[in-house]
Every structure is written in C-alpha cells, then in structure tokens.
Amino acid sequence: GAGVSQSPSNKVTEKGKDVELRCDPISGHTALYWYRQSLGQGLEFLIYFQGNSAPDKSGLPSDRFSAERTGGSVSTLTIQRTQQEDSAVYLCASSLDRGWTGPSEQYFGPGTRLTVT
Amino acid sequence: AQTVTQSQPEMSVQEAETVTLSCTYDTSENNYYLFWYKQPPSRQMILVIRQEAYKQQNATENRFSVNFQKAAKSFSLKISDSQLGDTAMYFCARTALIFGKGTTLSVSS
C-alpha cells in the first residue's frame, strides 16, 4: 500500500507568515509523530498522537507550534508567525498501535523542507 | 536526561569494507527498544534494524548487525561488505521519540 505522504515537499515563506504542513499516515496506523530535523542535527521530537488519546505535545518548542489530527488520520502541523530559526525539514512518521515505547517500526514520510526568509 | 549519543559525525569507507557506527544511550528502564534508521540523500528514512533490550542475542539483518551491550548502554551498528547504496545518514534511536544526531556514512568505490 501507499506509504506516509507529506505536502508540500518544499515551502518557502516570509518571516511572520503562518504555514501549514500536512501528513497522511499509512492507513490503519494509529500512532503519528512529527519531528523537526535542522541542518546537522538529529531528529527533534515535536508531537505524538496515539489513537483517541490526548496528544503528547511535550516536544513543541513554542506556542507558535500546534498540530491536530482529524478523524484519526490526516495530521496538520501549523507554525504561526514563522521565524528564520524555524527553517528545517519537518518529518512525519506513523506506526501501528504499540505506543512510543514499543517495538513498532516507524514509517517516515519524505518530509517538508521549510525555508523562512 | 534521557539521551542518545552518536560520537561519530562522519565516516568514510571503501566498498566491501566493514564499518561500525557507535551509539550510546542513557536510560533507567530495564526493557526498551533500540533502532537504527537510515536516511539516504532522498530524505526517506527507513528502518535498518531493531533490538529489544530484553533479548541478549544481537539482532542481524543481512549485512547489518548490532553489538548490544546492555550494561554499557551501547548499541553499535556493523555494516559488512559495504555498498555504494549504504551511503546515508544513520540514526540511532531509543524508543520512537529519542534520536541521536546521526552519523553520515560515505561509501566510495
């Protein structure tokens, strides 16, 4: 079946604008994760959705970042009033319902490269 | 803090050589999962190998194997008979949320 898809693949925006990044997980995967990958850095966890539970937002760097997941499927990461330091690749991943501590393999999307000018 | 450390930012090897990527981590838990992911220039991250801390036997997937030392909290990845397609950034992870900063591996002919 189809893998995790993300859109857009690239986004250039002006400082101060809001952006929305979209993630379509693999059908049937109830866990969904967002990460940020800055140049030369590892993956920085942002937010985790598990089924109908309240999301784990502990990784969001500021209140300008928010995410929602509608109908347990598609997720949107929103960054308000973008700053230049928000420039990074934003990766989405999904996995089966085993929880973030479990053995389930994560399937990653190709990422969205965000550039804030 | 629960962290994952990859001490080798970059490595280079020739085709057919064996290379070992190091990873250490910090945790107070007794059972957990460890992963190695590969991210080629295409940016598409894929799982290479996983290890359950409860199991003493080292995981193996074809040319990829791990040396898991639980007491030392070490989880290194060994790539045998390196191929050009192994060129990528490799990330070590403990659970789904804690990743290292990655090791960029370049394989040349």
Side-chain angles (χ1 to χ4, degrees):
Chain A
V4 177
S5 61
Q6 292 186 247
S7 60
S9 56
N10 288 282
K11 175 72 176 179
V12 180
T13 190
E14 292 180 353
K15 178 182 173 181
K17 300 279 190 180
D18 297 353
V19 294
E20 286 190 351
L21 311 180
R22 177 186 169 105
C23 172
D24 284 82
I26 292 174
S27 177
H29 282 191
T30 58
L32 186 146
Y33 313 78
W34 282 99
Y35 300 90
R36 179 169 67 178
Q37 185 177 19
S38 303
L39 187 63
Q41 300 296 312
L43 270 65
E44 176 188 6
F45 161 70
L46 297 177
I47 189 169
Y48 160 60
F49 295 89
Q50 175 62 63
N52 295 320
S53 302
D56 179 345
K57 304 180 182 179
S58 60
L60 294 178
S62 78
D63 58 7
R64 296 186 296 105
F65 288 73
S66 63
E68 63 178 19
R69 189 177 184 192
T70 55
S73 181
V74 173
S75 178
T76 302
L77 176 69
T78 301
I79 308 173
Q80 296 178 311
R81 306 181 301 281
T82 52
Q83 304 294 313
Q84 288 186 328
E85 59 263 28
D86 299 334
S87 295
V89 173
Y90 290 82
L91 292 171
C92 173
S94 70
S95 69
L96 291 171
D97 184 10
R98 297 287 189 92
W100 66 270
T101 59
S104 292
E105 171 184 356
Q106 291 183 81
Y107 293 81
F108 284 82
T112 293
R113 182 178 297 279
L114 175 66
T115 303
V116 182
T117 61
Chain B
Q2 301 199 33
T3 59
V4 173
T5 303
Q6 295 181 247
S7 59
Q8 306 147 313
E10 297 181 356
M11 296 189 74
S12 297
V13 294
Q14 300 272 334
E15 271 186 301
E17 289 184 344
T18 294
V19 62
T20 299
L21 280 57
S22 66
C23 173
T24 58
Y25 58 92
D26 184 25
T27 183
S28 57
E29 298 171 14
N30 190 46
N31 196 26
Y32 45 88
Y33 292 85
L34 297 161
F35 306 85
W36 276 99
Y37 284 90
K38 169 185 176 181
Q39 186 182 41
S42 66
R43 265 185 1 215
Q44 187 68 58
M45 188 100 70
I46 57 173
L47 178 71
V48 174
I49 199 166
R50 91 188 84 193
Q51 173 83 39
E52 181 176 2
Y54 186 77
K55 295 181 179 178
Q56 294 183 346
Q57 186 174 5
N58 290 325
T60 299
E61 289 287 343
N62 301 312
R63 297 183 295 108
F64 298 87
S65 62
V66 300
N67 183 4
F68 174 50
Q69 302 290 328
K70 189 173 183 180
K73 295 188 174 71
S74 172
F75 182 60
S76 60
L77 175 69
K78 185 172 83 171
I79 306 174
S80 303
D81 186 27
S82 295
Q83 301 176 359
L84 295 178
D86 295 334
T87 294
M89 181 170 273
Y90 288 81
F91 291 96
C92 177
R94 189 185 72 75
T95 76
L97 304 187
I98 309 170
F99 283 74
K101 292 192 174 183
T103 296
T104 299
L105 175 66
S106 298
V107 181
S108 57
S109 57

